Amino acid sequence: MTKHLRKLMNKRTIVVLLLIGAVFFYLSGGFKKEHASDSLTSSTPVKRFELSAKAELRPANEGYAVVIKGGRLDRILKPAGTEVKENEILAVVDETERKTQLESALSRFKLAKINYERIGRLYRSGATSREEYDEANSTFTVRTAELKAAKQELNNSLVRSPLDGTVAMVAYTIGDVTPDGARVAIVEDRKNYHLRLSLPRKDQKALGDKVTVKLPAALGEVEGDLRVLNEIGEGPADAIVEFKAEIPDQYVGRWVDVTLKGREANAASLQSRFSPAD
């Protein structure tokens, strides 16, 4: 009985070992195939391109600092070249006159409040009439509205920055009279730029999403993201390359010679991005 059991166990052990060996062989073969595929992919040459073009160098974001209520420009707090934060005050219009109006409205409000509170105490104690209490309440309501309007008027005379950036220019000088809604200053984000350029259709197939831009003079190279604006048609395509860099003022807003370098996009991407619509 014992010998028979040993033989049976030996047979089962052999079967198990054979199964393990078969599985290992299969996995080993698949692993080699996978590596062979990876090796083939990695050895495929990457096509690269280099294009020269003229491009307009602009801040990627800029905005106008507007005065809501126009008037005489009294003060310029942030001249051109100053770095500012969003909503920071750049200039003030009719400051003296509107401050005087606010002080007068505040004084009338305080008197009306004192009188309203005094009449209220007398009315609650029965020492004055309802008509006198209503009149004091009405006056206090009017003075409250006048104070609110005076504060808003002063606030409307403040020219605030629309974004974080640098004041590029102030369009008025002290003493000038600005109309309502005047664009008093321009503020630019001088950390993020874009190059706007036109490219022939024959060159578009060399463009990928990521490009290196060689800027003029000693500005060096920057990495950027390419975005094509008009993808359909036969004429040149407008494109924008967005990037971060420190750019001297003399280059901003000008057309410059640039060189774009990068890796060609794959065929499927090119077809979807640059082929005319059916």
Side-chain angles (χ1 to χ4, degrees):
M1 184 67 179
T2 304
K3 290 181 180 179
H4 179 71
L5 183 59
R6 287 177 180 173
K7 288 181 180 180
L8 184 59
M9 292 293 290
N10 288 336
K11 287 180 180 180
R12 287 182 178 177
T13 302
I14 292 171
V15 170
V16 171
L17 290 174
L18 287 173
L19 286 173
I20 292 174
V23 171
F24 180 80
F25 178 78
Y26 175 79
L27 292 176
S28 177
F31 180 77
K32 288 181 180 178
K33 286 180 182 178
E34 186 179 346
H35 263 280
S37 175
D38 288 346
S39 176
L40 180 62
T41 302
S42 62
S43 64
T44 303
V46 176
K47 293 183 179 179
R48 306 193 71 81
F49 70 90
E50 184 169 323
L51 299 174
S52 296
K54 278 194 173 293
E56 185 184 19
L57 181 60
R58 298 290 305 173
N61 191 19
E62 61 183 6
Y64 294 104
V66 176
V67 61
I68 298 175
K69 185 71 173 178
R72 181 184 182 277
L73 185 62
D74 285 341
R75 286 195 296 160
I76 297 174
L77 305 177
K78 304 294 180 182
T82 307
E83 291 189 7
V84 293
K85 295 292 185 181
E86 182 178 358
N87 211 39
E88 189 172 352
I89 299 172
L90 309 183
V92 185
V93 172
D94 276 349
E95 181 181 26
T96 303
E97 179 182 348
R98 291 173 187 177
K99 275 189 173 180
T100 301
Q101 291 173 352
L102 177 59
E103 289 170 358
S104 178
L106 181 60
S107 178
R108 292 194 299 270
F109 167 80
K110 288 179 178 179
L111 288 175
K113 183 180 180 182
I114 291 171
N115 188 57
Y116 171 62
E117 291 173 346
R118 182 180 64 82
I119 297 295
R121 288 192 297 269
L122 292 174
Y123 175 70
R124 285 189 293 273
S125 65
T128 189
S129 66
R130 175 73 187 192
E131 290 76 11
E132 190 173 2
Y133 172 78
D134 288 343
E135 183 180 352
N137 182 36
S138 177
T139 301
F140 176 67
T141 301
V142 170
R143 299 305 182 221
T144 301
E146 289 176 349
L147 178 60
K148 183 179 179 181
K151 287 180 177 179
Q152 186 62 50
E153 187 76 5
L154 181 60
N155 186 64
N156 289 345
S157 71
L158 304 177
V159 182
R160 298 180 181 274
S161 175
L163 50 89
D164 291 352
T166 302
V167 179
M169 68 166 290
V170 179
Y172 296 87
T173 58
I174 293 176
D176 289 346
V177 176
T178 67
D180 293 352
R183 296 173 173 178
V184 176
I186 299 176
V187 180
E188 298 175 340
D189 173 8
R190 294 190 177 176
K191 294 180 180 178
N192 298 277
Y193 288 87
H194 67 222
L195 291 166
R196 188 182 184 102
L197 63 158
S198 293
L199 296 167
R201 291 282 160 177
K202 67 181 181 64
D203 290 335
Q204 291 176 14
K205 292 184 178 180
L207 298 179
D209 291 332
K210 293 285 186 181
V211 292
T212 300
V213 182
K214 183 179 180 183
L215 297 170
L219 298 183
E221 294 185 347
V222 293
E223 297 290 332
D225 295 318
L226 177 75
R227 182 162 56 91
V228 176
L229 301 182
N230 59 328
E231 303 176 2
I232 300 173
E234 298 299 327
D238 291 331
I240 282 180
V241 180
E242 297 180 347
F243 62 92
K244 291 180 179 288
E246 295 290 336
I247 303 295
D249 290 349
Q250 65 264 31
Y251 292 101
V252 179
R254 297 188 178 183
W255 286 82
V256 294
D257 293 315
V258 298
T259 301
L260 273 65
K261 298 185 293 183
R263 185 171 58 184
E264 288 192 8
N266 59 66
S269 173
L270 291 172
Q271 186 174 3
S272 65
R273 292 178 58 199
F274 298 119
S275 295
D278 295 332

